[in-house]
Structure formats: structure tokens, C-alpha cells
Amino acid sequence: MTASPSITVRYTCPHCDAVHSIERGPDLADRSVTKHSQPGWEYAAPDDDFETREAADGIAFICGEDGPVTDLAEEPIEGCGRPFYLNFVRFEQGVELEPDPPTYGGPRFDFSP
């Protein structure tokens, strides 16, 4: 069995627009990048072998601490040091979950005026 090829994929920090690059397989189904972790989701570190780690629902980054970062023009910069999360595609009872709501399942309420 041959290993799948890896590609470089870039993700932008939603706090400061710093760009993080990771090597990963081209068939990994990522869904979104969020400022907050999703309730009940398990996150791998960027240097984990997350493609074979079945429990990983995404990757947790610390901006600027998980390797070099650049600006959008690919010039090296410092990251902001804040966490952000790459969320993989995830299904619950056959329904694809949308990352970033406060909870999954049940009613959602908005009490803002």
C-alpha cells in the first residue's frame, strides 16, 4: 500500500489574517475555520498525524506558535498567539453538522433585542 501524496494547504487565522501552512493529504475533508472550538469535538495538534487519528474532528492552532506564519503576500510575520480551529466535515446521524452554532440538536434561541 502506498502512502497518499501530501499537499501544502494554507489556513488563515480568523483573528489577525496570519497564514498557516500545513502538509496534509489531498482527500482530507475540511469544512471551516472558526475562532472557537466546537462543543464535544476532539482536535489534533498541527504536527499530529491527524489523518490516521480517527478521533480527530479538526486541528487546533495557536497563531504563530505552531510553526512559521506569513501575511497574505507570503512575507514572514508574527502571529497573534490566539487559538483557532480547523473543523473537518462531520456527520451526526447522517446529517452534516454546520460548525459554529452554540450547540447541536434541539432548538436554538436568540434572545437579543
Side-chain angles (χ1 to χ4, degrees):
M1 180 178 263
T2 59
S4 65
S6 67
I7 59 172
T8 301
V9 181
R10 297 167 25 130
Y11 299 101
T12 303
C13 173
H15 301 287
C16 71
D17 292 331
V19 178
H20 295 252
S21 298
I22 62 169
E23 293 289 321
R24 54 157 245 205
D27 55 348
L28 182 65
D30 52 4
R31 175 79 166 123
S32 67
V33 173
T34 55
K35 292 180 179 181
H36 305 285
S37 63
Q38 303 304 299
W41 289 36
E42 296 288 328
Y43 291 91
D47 58 356
D48 283 351
D49 186 7
F50 50 86
E51 294 184 67
T52 59
R53 183 179 164 196
E54 291 184 22
D57 297 315
I59 302 171
F61 292 90
I62 302 294
C63 185
E65 294 181 21
D66 293 321
V69 296
T70 65
D71 60 16
L72 295 173
E74 298 187 17
E75 293 295 322
I77 61 169
E78 304 249 342
C80 66
R82 294 161 70 184
F84 69 96
Y85 303 87
L86 169 65
N87 303 292
F88 298 154
V89 172
R90 183 172 164 188
F91 293 88
E92 188 172 286
Q93 298 179 349
V95 176
E96 185 176 339
L97 299 176
E98 285 286 333
D100 216 24
T103 59
Y104 292 107
R108 297 188 179 111
F109 301 98
D110 181 4
F111 293 104
S112 50

